[in-house]
DNA sequence: TTTAATAAATGTATAATTTACATTTATTTT
DNA sequence: AAAATAAATGTAAATTATACATTTATTAAA
């Protein structure tokens, strides 16, 4: 496509950066990579790339994510456009940031090595390039807002999980603790969970029952705009 | 600033579009203008303009808004980046959309004529260019989310207003009706409003008391993340 | 085989919040 | 003085949220 009509206007480099959250059963983590190009090569960074002229911004984000994680069909949404003139020290680049939620085990160790990627707990993040810290901070806020009305456990937990894991996830997101009786009561009352006839024996002698999400009910609640905690 | 490092990447035209909401005491309205350039010249459109190479995206939005409405220091936030390849029929243009809230009377009739602008009730919107309808729809959703936790009355109502006006605003945003006893109770319990010793006699023989926002309490609640209705 | 150890599962009473609902009040006009 | 009009106001019932401790299932050790 040619810009036949809009003459003499300033074209700008457009990038996408992706912040990827995962949950290891205990902590919320963000996936960072060692930056592969100058400037700041080798420093920790969000996954990013440039938007091509014939590519939608969404497609660019999907491409970057897929290229670096090997994952597709993951939960992703646009977060914010960072557009300060001096945000990238090497030139004018406006960045559209996306945030994604993945099941931490879906991301293969091989790809991790290949792209020099590493999971960091949110309270142990290293220094990152440019304005990426601002991006991460904003994404954590967005995640918290999101969680209020969207059952994100879906995206971050394995298909079968225990109530303990689910509660730990919510506690990690909100950085707080909940009374487990009240938490269980509330979550179960939503009809979102299906109790399985299977136990996870990993963490106790008694074992704890595994649950699955009820996808239909999830979609229903998403539409109606439920309110979680 | 020169892009000295990033070679051979695709630069893209960046635009900002602004959706401006106002409230006339009865309906929520959006401010549209007749598009001043080709293509689609003369059609209804959001206010927009191109981002300059040496200008932040935020600054571009502020500039566009200020240029066309004469207003500064108005409530504005970034909404979303629309980045489909074919969204603008005349070339590749990625648009960052902002949404703004203004007091409807602050926008002078003269400027309105000068820029061929017009307020439209949200349920009587005309056909608009490109993907502006999607932008408007998304902004209405955002406004509703916003209202849950932010006292936007501030931005949309005159400094002195009646409880009736405030309730009408919330009813317009949510497109519903509230019981006026419960609404009053709830709003007053937040300590957000200051009752004045003045009445507005415009709408009844008895007249209704005017209120002001308590700015300190507003900021406080904003920080704590209150929950409205 | 009994006992000890461990984490999972569960219930109830109280407090807080939300909802539903109709009458009285202040003022102006006739 | 009476009628008309919209504003202002309270209470009881239902729902939801909170605080809080014991019992249960299972395994490992005695």
């Amino acid at each position: 496509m040619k810009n036949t009509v809009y003459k003499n206007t300033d074209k700008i480099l457009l990038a996408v950066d992706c912040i990827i959250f995962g949950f290891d059963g205990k902590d919320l983590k963000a996936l960072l990579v060692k930056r592969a190009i100058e400037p700041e090569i080798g420093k920790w960074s969000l996954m990013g790339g440039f938007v091509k002229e014939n590519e939608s911004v969404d497609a660019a984000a999907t491409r970057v994510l897929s290229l670096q994680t090997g994952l597709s069909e993951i939960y992703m949404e646009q977060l914010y456009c960072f557009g300060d003139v001096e945000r990238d020290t090497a030139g004018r680049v406006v960045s559209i940031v996306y945030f994604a939620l993945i099941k931490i085990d879906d991301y293969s160790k091989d790809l991790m090595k290949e792209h020099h990627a590493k999971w960091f707990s949110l309270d142990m993040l290293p220094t990152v390039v440019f304005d990426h810290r601002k991006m991460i901070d904003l994404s954590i806020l967005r995640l918290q807002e999101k969680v209020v009305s969207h059952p994100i456990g879906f995206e971050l937990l394995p298909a079968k999980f225990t109530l303990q894991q689910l509660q730990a996830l919510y506690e990690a997101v909100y950085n707080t603790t909940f009374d487990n009786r009240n938490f269980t009561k509330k979550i179960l009352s939503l009809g979102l969970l299906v109790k399985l006839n299977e136990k996870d024996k990993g963490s106790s002698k008694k074992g704890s029952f595994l649950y699955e999400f009820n996808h239909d009910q999830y979609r229903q609640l998403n539409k109606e705009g439920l309110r979680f905690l």
PDB file of all heavy atoms in Angstrom, chain C residues 1 3 5 20 27 29-30, chain D residues 1-2 4 11 26 28 30:
ATOM      1  P    DT C   1      -3.073 -56.394  60.850  1.00  0.00           P
ATOM      2  OP1  DT C   1      -3.824 -57.557  61.267  1.00  0.00           O
ATOM      3  OP2  DT C   1      -3.259 -55.786  59.551  1.00  0.00           O
ATOM      4  O5'  DT C   1      -3.151 -55.256  61.956  1.00  0.00           O
ATOM      5  C5'  DT C   1      -3.280 -55.488  63.345  1.00  0.00           C
ATOM      6  C4'  DT C   1      -3.161 -54.107  63.931  1.00  0.00           C
ATOM      7  O4'  DT C   1      -1.802 -53.633  63.734  1.00  0.00           O
ATOM      8  C3'  DT C   1      -4.080 -53.103  63.247  1.00  0.00           C
ATOM      9  O3'  DT C   1      -4.934 -52.358  64.104  1.00  0.00           O
ATOM     10  C2'  DT C   1      -3.156 -52.166  62.498  1.00  0.00           C
ATOM     11  C1'  DT C   1      -1.844 -52.290  63.267  1.00  0.00           C
ATOM     12  N1   DT C   1      -0.648 -52.031  62.400  1.00  0.00           N
ATOM     13  C2   DT C   1       0.404 -51.348  62.927  1.00  0.00           C
ATOM     14  O2   DT C   1       0.431 -50.971  64.055  1.00  0.00           O
ATOM     15  N3   DT C   1       1.436 -51.136  62.056  1.00  0.00           N
ATOM     16  C4   DT C   1       1.529 -51.524  60.733  1.00  0.00           C
ATOM     17  O4   DT C   1       2.522 -51.276  60.056  1.00  0.00           O
ATOM     18  C5   DT C   1       0.379 -52.232  60.244  1.00  0.00           C
ATOM     19  C7   DT C   1       0.340 -52.692  58.804  1.00  0.00           C
ATOM     20  C6   DT C   1      -0.640 -52.454  61.069  1.00  0.00           C
ATOM     21  P    DT C   3      -3.434 -46.416  68.937  1.00  0.00           P
ATOM     22  OP1  DT C   3      -3.352 -46.338  70.413  1.00  0.00           O
ATOM     23  OP2  DT C   3      -4.689 -46.104  68.218  1.00  0.00           O
ATOM     24  O5'  DT C   3      -2.254 -45.517  68.334  1.00  0.00           O
ATOM     25  C5'  DT C   3      -0.889 -45.855  68.649  1.00  0.00           C
ATOM     26  C4'  DT C   3      -0.015 -44.725  68.130  1.00  0.00           C
ATOM     27  O4'  DT C   3       0.187 -44.893  66.699  1.00  0.00           O
ATOM     28  C3'  DT C   3      -0.595 -43.325  68.329  1.00  0.00           C
ATOM     29  O3'  DT C   3       0.466 -42.456  68.742  1.00  0.00           O
ATOM     30  C2'  DT C   3      -1.152 -42.964  66.955  1.00  0.00           C
ATOM     31  C1'  DT C   3      -0.171 -43.687  66.028  1.00  0.00           C
ATOM     32  N1   DT C   3      -0.685 -44.075  64.686  1.00  0.00           N
ATOM     33  C2   DT C   3       0.159 -43.991  63.600  1.00  0.00           C
ATOM     34  O2   DT C   3       1.308 -43.613  63.687  1.00  0.00           O
ATOM     35  N3   DT C   3      -0.387 -44.388  62.406  1.00  0.00           N
ATOM     36  C4   DT C   3      -1.675 -44.828  62.182  1.00  0.00           C
ATOM     37  O4   DT C   3      -2.050 -45.150  61.058  1.00  0.00           O
ATOM     38  C5   DT C   3      -2.518 -44.887  63.354  1.00  0.00           C
ATOM     39  C7   DT C   3      -3.950 -45.345  63.213  1.00  0.00           C
ATOM     40  C6   DT C   3      -1.993 -44.507  64.549  1.00  0.00           C
ATOM     41  P    DA C   5       3.923 -36.322  65.975  1.00  0.00           P
ATOM     42  OP1  DA C   5       5.276 -36.012  66.479  1.00  0.00           O
ATOM     43  OP2  DA C   5       2.723 -35.770  66.630  1.00  0.00           O
ATOM     44  O5'  DA C   5       3.877 -35.939  64.428  1.00  0.00           O
ATOM     45  C5'  DA C   5       4.594 -36.725  63.483  1.00  0.00           C
ATOM     46  C4'  DA C   5       4.125 -36.350  62.098  1.00  0.00           C
ATOM     47  O4'  DA C   5       2.881 -37.038  61.802  1.00  0.00           O
ATOM     48  C3'  DA C   5       3.835 -34.852  61.939  1.00  0.00           C
ATOM     49  O3'  DA C   5       4.579 -34.370  60.835  1.00  0.00           O
ATOM     50  C2'  DA C   5       2.329 -34.768  61.686  1.00  0.00           C
ATOM     51  C1'  DA C   5       2.035 -36.146  61.108  1.00  0.00           C
ATOM     52  N9   DA C   5       0.659 -36.596  61.319  1.00  0.00           N
ATOM     53  C8   DA C   5      -0.087 -36.539  62.459  1.00  0.00           C
ATOM     54  N7   DA C   5      -1.296 -37.055  62.343  1.00  0.00           N
ATOM     55  C5   DA C   5      -1.337 -37.480  61.023  1.00  0.00           C
ATOM     56  C6   DA C   5      -2.342 -38.114  60.258  1.00  0.00           C
ATOM     57  N6   DA C   5      -3.543 -38.446  60.747  1.00  0.00           N
ATOM     58  N1   DA C   5      -2.054 -38.406  58.972  1.00  0.00           N
ATOM     59  C2   DA C   5      -0.850 -38.076  58.485  1.00  0.00           C
ATOM     60  N3   DA C   5       0.165 -37.489  59.103  1.00  0.00           N
ATOM     61  C4   DA C   5      -0.152 -37.206  60.377  1.00  0.00           C
ATOM     62  P    DA C  20     -34.160  -4.070  43.520  1.00  0.00           P
ATOM     63  OP1  DA C  20     -34.366  -5.234  42.605  1.00  0.00           O
ATOM     64  OP2  DA C  20     -33.728  -2.771  42.987  1.00  0.00           O
ATOM     65  O5'  DA C  20     -35.508  -3.856  44.334  1.00  0.00           O
ATOM     66  C5'  DA C  20     -35.887  -4.793  45.332  1.00  0.00           C
ATOM     67  C4'  DA C  20     -36.904  -4.140  46.246  1.00  0.00           C
ATOM     68  O4'  DA C  20     -36.234  -3.329  47.236  1.00  0.00           O
ATOM     69  C3'  DA C  20     -37.874  -3.212  45.511  1.00  0.00           C
ATOM     70  O3'  DA C  20     -39.191  -3.626  45.804  1.00  0.00           O
ATOM     71  C2'  DA C  20     -37.566  -1.818  46.059  1.00  0.00           C
ATOM     72  C1'  DA C  20     -36.962  -2.132  47.424  1.00  0.00           C
ATOM     73  N9   DA C  20     -36.020  -1.129  47.929  1.00  0.00           N
ATOM     74  C8   DA C  20     -35.020  -0.495  47.258  1.00  0.00           C
ATOM     75  N7   DA C  20     -34.318   0.340  47.990  1.00  0.00           N
ATOM     76  C5   DA C  20     -34.908   0.253  49.242  1.00  0.00           C
ATOM     77  C6   DA C  20     -34.627   0.886  50.465  1.00  0.00           C
ATOM     78  N6   DA C  20     -33.657   1.771  50.636  1.00  0.00           N
ATOM     79  N1   DA C  20     -35.409   0.566  51.525  1.00  0.00           N
ATOM     80  C2   DA C  20     -36.394  -0.324  51.361  1.00  0.00           C
ATOM     81  N3   DA C  20     -36.747  -0.988  50.265  1.00  0.00           N
ATOM     82  C4   DA C  20     -35.954  -0.658  49.223  1.00  0.00           C
ATOM     83  P    DT C  27     -37.896  27.215  50.658  1.00  0.00           P
ATOM     84  OP1  DT C  27     -36.537  27.649  50.296  1.00  0.00           O
ATOM     85  OP2  DT C  27     -38.560  27.696  51.890  1.00  0.00           O
ATOM     86  O5'  DT C  27     -38.839  27.548  49.420  1.00  0.00           O
ATOM     87  C5'  DT C  27     -38.418  27.142  48.124  1.00  0.00           C
ATOM     88  C4'  DT C  27     -39.586  27.273  47.174  1.00  0.00           C
ATOM     89  O4'  DT C  27     -40.644  26.392  47.559  1.00  0.00           O
ATOM     90  C3'  DT C  27     -40.223  28.655  47.125  1.00  0.00           C
ATOM     91  O3'  DT C  27     -39.705  29.328  45.990  1.00  0.00           O
ATOM     92  C2'  DT C  27     -41.717  28.374  47.011  1.00  0.00           C
ATOM     93  C1'  DT C  27     -41.778  26.868  46.865  1.00  0.00           C
ATOM     94  N1   DT C  27     -42.975  26.211  47.446  1.00  0.00           N
ATOM     95  C2   DT C  27     -43.835  25.587  46.570  1.00  0.00           C
ATOM     96  O2   DT C  27     -43.656  25.562  45.369  1.00  0.00           O
ATOM     97  N3   DT C  27     -44.920  24.998  47.167  1.00  0.00           N
ATOM     98  C4   DT C  27     -45.213  24.970  48.523  1.00  0.00           C
ATOM     99  O4   DT C  27     -46.213  24.401  48.930  1.00  0.00           O
ATOM    100  C5   DT C  27     -44.270  25.646  49.383  1.00  0.00           C
ATOM    101  C7   DT C  27     -44.514  25.681  50.849  1.00  0.00           C
ATOM    102  C6   DT C  27     -43.198  26.236  48.814  1.00  0.00           C
ATOM    103  P    DT C  29     -43.843  31.830  39.937  1.00  0.00           P
ATOM    104  OP1  DT C  29     -43.142  31.915  38.654  1.00  0.00           O
ATOM    105  OP2  DT C  29     -43.920  33.006  40.849  1.00  0.00           O
ATOM    106  O5'  DT C  29     -45.327  31.304  39.677  1.00  0.00           O
ATOM    107  C5'  DT C  29     -45.518  30.005  39.145  1.00  0.00           C
ATOM    108  C4'  DT C  29     -47.012  29.678  39.158  1.00  0.00           C
ATOM    109  O4'  DT C  29     -47.438  29.391  40.511  1.00  0.00           O
ATOM    110  C3'  DT C  29     -47.906  30.829  38.661  1.00  0.00           C
ATOM    111  O3'  DT C  29     -48.870  30.276  37.781  1.00  0.00           O
ATOM    112  C2'  DT C  29     -48.519  31.393  39.942  1.00  0.00           C
ATOM    113  C1'  DT C  29     -48.605  30.139  40.809  1.00  0.00           C
ATOM    114  N1   DT C  29     -48.605  30.360  42.282  1.00  0.00           N
ATOM    115  C2   DT C  29     -49.480  29.612  43.047  1.00  0.00           C
ATOM    116  O2   DT C  29     -50.251  28.801  42.591  1.00  0.00           O
ATOM    117  N3   DT C  29     -49.394  29.860  44.402  1.00  0.00           N
ATOM    118  C4   DT C  29     -48.563  30.758  45.040  1.00  0.00           C
ATOM    119  O4   DT C  29     -48.592  30.885  46.250  1.00  0.00           O
ATOM    120  C5   DT C  29     -47.693  31.513  44.173  1.00  0.00           C
ATOM    121  C7   DT C  29     -46.757  32.518  44.758  1.00  0.00           C
ATOM    122  C6   DT C  29     -47.750  31.284  42.844  1.00  0.00           C
ATOM    123  P    DT C  30     -49.846  31.242  36.984  1.00  0.00           P
ATOM    124  OP1  DT C  30     -49.831  30.760  35.588  1.00  0.00           O
ATOM    125  OP2  DT C  30     -49.533  32.642  37.313  1.00  0.00           O
ATOM    126  O5'  DT C  30     -51.259  30.869  37.616  1.00  0.00           O
ATOM    127  C5'  DT C  30     -51.619  29.496  37.804  1.00  0.00           C
ATOM    128  C4'  DT C  30     -52.848  29.426  38.702  1.00  0.00           C
ATOM    129  O4'  DT C  30     -52.473  29.697  40.078  1.00  0.00           O
ATOM    130  C3'  DT C  30     -53.944  30.435  38.342  1.00  0.00           C
ATOM    131  O3'  DT C  30     -55.196  29.769  38.297  1.00  0.00           O
ATOM    132  C2'  DT C  30     -53.903  31.458  39.469  1.00  0.00           C
ATOM    133  C1'  DT C  30     -53.407  30.596  40.638  1.00  0.00           C
ATOM    134  N1   DT C  30     -52.717  31.333  41.736  1.00  0.00           N
ATOM    135  C2   DT C  30     -53.038  31.008  43.036  1.00  0.00           C
ATOM    136  O2   DT C  30     -53.844  30.174  43.330  1.00  0.00           O
ATOM    137  N3   DT C  30     -52.336  31.732  43.985  1.00  0.00           N
ATOM    138  C4   DT C  30     -51.399  32.727  43.756  1.00  0.00           C
ATOM    139  O4   DT C  30     -50.848  33.293  44.697  1.00  0.00           O
ATOM    140  C5   DT C  30     -51.120  33.018  42.378  1.00  0.00           C
ATOM    141  C7   DT C  30     -50.128  34.082  42.025  1.00  0.00           C
ATOM    142  C6   DT C  30     -51.790  32.318  41.425  1.00  0.00           C
TER     143       DT C  30
ATOM    144  P    DA D   1     -54.855  32.476  54.911  1.00  0.00           P
ATOM    145  OP1  DA D   1     -55.902  33.451  55.305  1.00  0.00           O
ATOM    146  OP2  DA D   1     -54.090  31.767  55.947  1.00  0.00           O
ATOM    147  O5'  DA D   1     -55.494  31.397  53.941  1.00  0.00           O
ATOM    148  C5'  DA D   1     -56.872  31.472  53.553  1.00  0.00           C
ATOM    149  C4'  DA D   1     -57.054  30.520  52.409  1.00  0.00           C
ATOM    150  O4'  DA D   1     -56.343  30.996  51.230  1.00  0.00           O
ATOM    151  C3'  DA D   1     -56.538  29.114  52.681  1.00  0.00           C
ATOM    152  O3'  DA D   1     -57.508  28.194  52.186  1.00  0.00           O
ATOM    153  C2'  DA D   1     -55.209  29.045  51.905  1.00  0.00           C
ATOM    154  C1'  DA D   1     -55.477  29.987  50.741  1.00  0.00           C
ATOM    155  N9   DA D   1     -54.295  30.689  50.223  1.00  0.00           N
ATOM    156  C8   DA D   1     -53.321  31.328  50.938  1.00  0.00           C
ATOM    157  N7   DA D   1     -52.406  31.894  50.192  1.00  0.00           N
ATOM    158  C5   DA D   1     -52.814  31.605  48.890  1.00  0.00           C
ATOM    159  C6   DA D   1     -52.264  31.922  47.632  1.00  0.00           C
ATOM    160  N6   DA D   1     -51.171  32.649  47.465  1.00  0.00           N
ATOM    161  N1   DA D   1     -52.916  31.487  46.537  1.00  0.00           N
ATOM    162  C2   DA D   1     -54.041  30.768  46.707  1.00  0.00           C
ATOM    163  N3   DA D   1     -54.651  30.413  47.835  1.00  0.00           N
ATOM    164  C4   DA D   1     -53.970  30.855  48.895  1.00  0.00           C
ATOM    165  P    DA D   2     -57.247  26.651  52.242  1.00  0.00           P
ATOM    166  OP1  DA D   2     -58.528  25.970  52.527  1.00  0.00           O
ATOM    167  OP2  DA D   2     -56.036  26.341  53.039  1.00  0.00           O
ATOM    168  O5'  DA D   2     -56.918  26.428  50.703  1.00  0.00           O
ATOM    169  C5'  DA D   2     -57.838  26.921  49.698  1.00  0.00           C
ATOM    170  C4'  DA D   2     -57.417  26.352  48.353  1.00  0.00           C
ATOM    171  O4'  DA D   2     -56.238  27.051  47.877  1.00  0.00           O
ATOM    172  C3'  DA D   2     -57.033  24.866  48.395  1.00  0.00           C
ATOM    173  O3'  DA D   2     -57.509  24.260  47.191  1.00  0.00           O
ATOM    174  C2'  DA D   2     -55.518  24.884  48.493  1.00  0.00           C
ATOM    175  C1'  DA D   2     -55.165  26.137  47.685  1.00  0.00           C
ATOM    176  N9   DA D   2     -53.947  26.820  48.112  1.00  0.00           N
ATOM    177  C8   DA D   2     -53.458  26.969  49.378  1.00  0.00           C
ATOM    178  N7   DA D   2     -52.343  27.663  49.435  1.00  0.00           N
ATOM    179  C5   DA D   2     -52.085  27.983  48.118  1.00  0.00           C
ATOM    180  C6   DA D   2     -51.051  28.713  47.501  1.00  0.00           C
ATOM    181  N6   DA D   2     -50.044  29.284  48.172  1.00  0.00           N
ATOM    182  N1   DA D   2     -51.095  28.842  46.160  1.00  0.00           N
ATOM    183  C2   DA D   2     -52.115  28.284  45.491  1.00  0.00           C
ATOM    184  N3   DA D   2     -53.150  27.583  45.949  1.00  0.00           N
ATOM    185  C4   DA D   2     -53.066  27.476  47.289  1.00  0.00           C
ATOM    186  P    DA D   4     -54.410  20.942  41.163  1.00  0.00           P
ATOM    187  OP1  DA D   4     -55.290  20.872  39.974  1.00  0.00           O
ATOM    188  OP2  DA D   4     -54.395  19.865  42.157  1.00  0.00           O
ATOM    189  O5'  DA D   4     -52.919  21.160  40.642  1.00  0.00           O
ATOM    190  C5'  DA D   4     -52.546  22.425  40.089  1.00  0.00           C
ATOM    191  C4'  DA D   4     -51.037  22.496  40.076  1.00  0.00           C
ATOM    192  O4'  DA D   4     -50.553  22.860  41.395  1.00  0.00           O
ATOM    193  C3'  DA D   4     -50.354  21.170  39.719  1.00  0.00           C
ATOM    194  O3'  DA D   4     -49.508  21.401  38.609  1.00  0.00           O
ATOM    195  C2'  DA D   4     -49.581  20.783  40.975  1.00  0.00           C
ATOM    196  C1'  DA D   4     -49.371  22.130  41.649  1.00  0.00           C
ATOM    197  N9   DA D   4     -49.217  22.077  43.100  1.00  0.00           N
ATOM    198  C8   DA D   4     -49.962  21.377  44.008  1.00  0.00           C
ATOM    199  N7   DA D   4     -49.583  21.548  45.264  1.00  0.00           N
ATOM    200  C5   DA D   4     -48.514  22.426  45.160  1.00  0.00           C
ATOM    201  C6   DA D   4     -47.672  23.001  46.128  1.00  0.00           C
ATOM    202  N6   DA D   4     -47.787  22.777  47.442  1.00  0.00           N
ATOM    203  N1   DA D   4     -46.694  23.835  45.687  1.00  0.00           N
ATOM    204  C2   DA D   4     -46.572  24.063  44.368  1.00  0.00           C
ATOM    205  N3   DA D   4     -47.312  23.579  43.371  1.00  0.00           N
ATOM    206  C4   DA D   4     -48.265  22.763  43.838  1.00  0.00           C
ATOM    207  P    DT D  11     -36.228   5.893  60.090  1.00  0.00           P
ATOM    208  OP1  DT D  11     -36.429   6.601  61.375  1.00  0.00           O
ATOM    209  OP2  DT D  11     -34.880   5.408  59.705  1.00  0.00           O
ATOM    210  O5'  DT D  11     -37.264   4.673  60.029  1.00  0.00           O
ATOM    211  C5'  DT D  11     -38.201   4.563  58.959  1.00  0.00           C
ATOM    212  C4'  DT D  11     -38.163   3.155  58.407  1.00  0.00           C
ATOM    213  O4'  DT D  11     -37.543   3.129  57.097  1.00  0.00           O
ATOM    214  C3'  DT D  11     -37.382   2.136  59.243  1.00  0.00           C
ATOM    215  O3'  DT D  11     -38.086   0.901  59.230  1.00  0.00           O
ATOM    216  C2'  DT D  11     -36.078   1.995  58.463  1.00  0.00           C
ATOM    217  C1'  DT D  11     -36.656   2.044  57.054  1.00  0.00           C
ATOM    218  N1   DT D  11     -35.685   2.259  55.961  1.00  0.00           N
ATOM    219  C2   DT D  11     -35.874   1.595  54.773  1.00  0.00           C
ATOM    220  O2   DT D  11     -36.807   0.833  54.590  1.00  0.00           O
ATOM    221  N3   DT D  11     -34.935   1.843  53.813  1.00  0.00           N
ATOM    222  C4   DT D  11     -33.836   2.677  53.924  1.00  0.00           C
ATOM    223  O4   DT D  11     -33.061   2.814  52.991  1.00  0.00           O
ATOM    224  C5   DT D  11     -33.697   3.350  55.195  1.00  0.00           C
ATOM    225  C7   DT D  11     -32.551   4.289  55.400  1.00  0.00           C
ATOM    226  C6   DT D  11     -34.602   3.116  56.140  1.00  0.00           C
ATOM    227  P    DT D  26      -8.526 -40.892  50.948  1.00  0.00           P
ATOM    228  OP1  DT D  26      -8.554 -40.762  49.482  1.00  0.00           O
ATOM    229  OP2  DT D  26      -9.269 -41.981  51.637  1.00  0.00           O
ATOM    230  O5'  DT D  26      -7.008 -40.972  51.401  1.00  0.00           O
ATOM    231  C5'  DT D  26      -6.080 -40.021  50.874  1.00  0.00           C
ATOM    232  C4'  DT D  26      -4.811 -40.087  51.661  1.00  0.00           C
ATOM    233  O4'  DT D  26      -5.057 -39.775  53.038  1.00  0.00           O
ATOM    234  C3'  DT D  26      -4.147 -41.451  51.696  1.00  0.00           C
ATOM    235  O3'  DT D  26      -3.132 -41.443  50.719  1.00  0.00           O
ATOM    236  C2'  DT D  26      -3.612 -41.582  53.111  1.00  0.00           C
ATOM    237  C1'  DT D  26      -3.910 -40.225  53.723  1.00  0.00           C
ATOM    238  N1   DT D  26      -4.227 -40.206  55.165  1.00  0.00           N
ATOM    239  C2   DT D  26      -3.362 -39.548  55.999  1.00  0.00           C
ATOM    240  O2   DT D  26      -2.357 -38.996  55.623  1.00  0.00           O
ATOM    241  N3   DT D  26      -3.719 -39.562  57.329  1.00  0.00           N
ATOM    242  C4   DT D  26      -4.833 -40.171  57.890  1.00  0.00           C
ATOM    243  O4   DT D  26      -5.037 -40.112  59.093  1.00  0.00           O
ATOM    244  C5   DT D  26      -5.701 -40.840  56.968  1.00  0.00           C
ATOM    245  C7   DT D  26      -6.931 -41.530  57.462  1.00  0.00           C
ATOM    246  C6   DT D  26      -5.361 -40.834  55.647  1.00  0.00           C
ATOM    247  P    DA D  28       4.344 -42.599  52.125  1.00  0.00           P
ATOM    248  OP1  DA D  28       5.254 -41.992  51.128  1.00  0.00           O
ATOM    249  OP2  DA D  28       3.903 -44.002  51.995  1.00  0.00           O
ATOM    250  O5'  DA D  28       4.997 -42.411  53.560  1.00  0.00           O
ATOM    251  C5'  DA D  28       5.100 -41.092  54.127  1.00  0.00           C
ATOM    252  C4'  DA D  28       5.606 -41.240  55.538  1.00  0.00           C
ATOM    253  O4'  DA D  28       4.503 -41.636  56.411  1.00  0.00           O
ATOM    254  C3'  DA D  28       6.677 -42.302  55.726  1.00  0.00           C
ATOM    255  O3'  DA D  28       7.602 -41.813  56.681  1.00  0.00           O
ATOM    256  C2'  DA D  28       5.917 -43.512  56.241  1.00  0.00           C
ATOM    257  C1'  DA D  28       4.819 -42.851  57.070  1.00  0.00           C
ATOM    258  N9   DA D  28       3.572 -43.613  57.164  1.00  0.00           N
ATOM    259  C8   DA D  28       2.961 -44.383  56.205  1.00  0.00           C
ATOM    260  N7   DA D  28       1.833 -44.935  56.584  1.00  0.00           N
ATOM    261  C5   DA D  28       1.685 -44.493  57.893  1.00  0.00           C
ATOM    262  C6   DA D  28       0.683 -44.714  58.874  1.00  0.00           C
ATOM    263  N6   DA D  28      -0.399 -45.467  58.653  1.00  0.00           N
ATOM    264  N1   DA D  28       0.853 -44.119  60.082  1.00  0.00           N
ATOM    265  C2   DA D  28       1.929 -43.366  60.285  1.00  0.00           C
ATOM    266  N3   DA D  28       2.939 -43.069  59.445  1.00  0.00           N
ATOM    267  C4   DA D  28       2.747 -43.675  58.263  1.00  0.00           C
ATOM    268  P    DA D  30      10.182 -43.608  63.529  1.00  0.00           P
ATOM    269  OP1  DA D  30      10.952 -42.525  64.174  1.00  0.00           O
ATOM    270  OP2  DA D  30      10.871 -44.630  62.715  1.00  0.00           O
ATOM    271  O5'  DA D  30       9.321 -44.340  64.640  1.00  0.00           O
ATOM    272  C5'  DA D  30       8.303 -43.606  65.353  1.00  0.00           C
ATOM    273  C4'  DA D  30       7.384 -44.599  66.044  1.00  0.00           C
ATOM    274  O4'  DA D  30       6.624 -45.311  65.039  1.00  0.00           O
ATOM    275  C3'  DA D  30       8.122 -45.660  66.870  1.00  0.00           C
ATOM    276  O3'  DA D  30       7.578 -45.683  68.174  1.00  0.00           O
ATOM    277  C2'  DA D  30       7.878 -46.983  66.137  1.00  0.00           C
ATOM    278  C1'  DA D  30       6.571 -46.684  65.394  1.00  0.00           C
ATOM    279  N9   DA D  30       6.398 -47.441  64.151  1.00  0.00           N
ATOM    280  C8   DA D  30       7.290 -47.584  63.119  1.00  0.00           C
ATOM    281  N7   DA D  30       6.854 -48.316  62.123  1.00  0.00           N
ATOM    282  C5   DA D  30       5.582 -48.687  62.528  1.00  0.00           C
ATOM    283  C6   DA D  30       4.587 -49.475  61.918  1.00  0.00           C
ATOM    284  N6   DA D  30       4.723 -50.032  60.720  1.00  0.00           N
ATOM    285  N1   DA D  30       3.426 -49.641  62.595  1.00  0.00           N
ATOM    286  C2   DA D  30       3.282 -49.073  63.792  1.00  0.00           C
ATOM    287  N3   DA D  30       4.142 -48.315  64.478  1.00  0.00           N
ATOM    288  C4   DA D  30       5.290 -48.162  63.770  1.00  0.00           C
TER     289       DA D  30
END
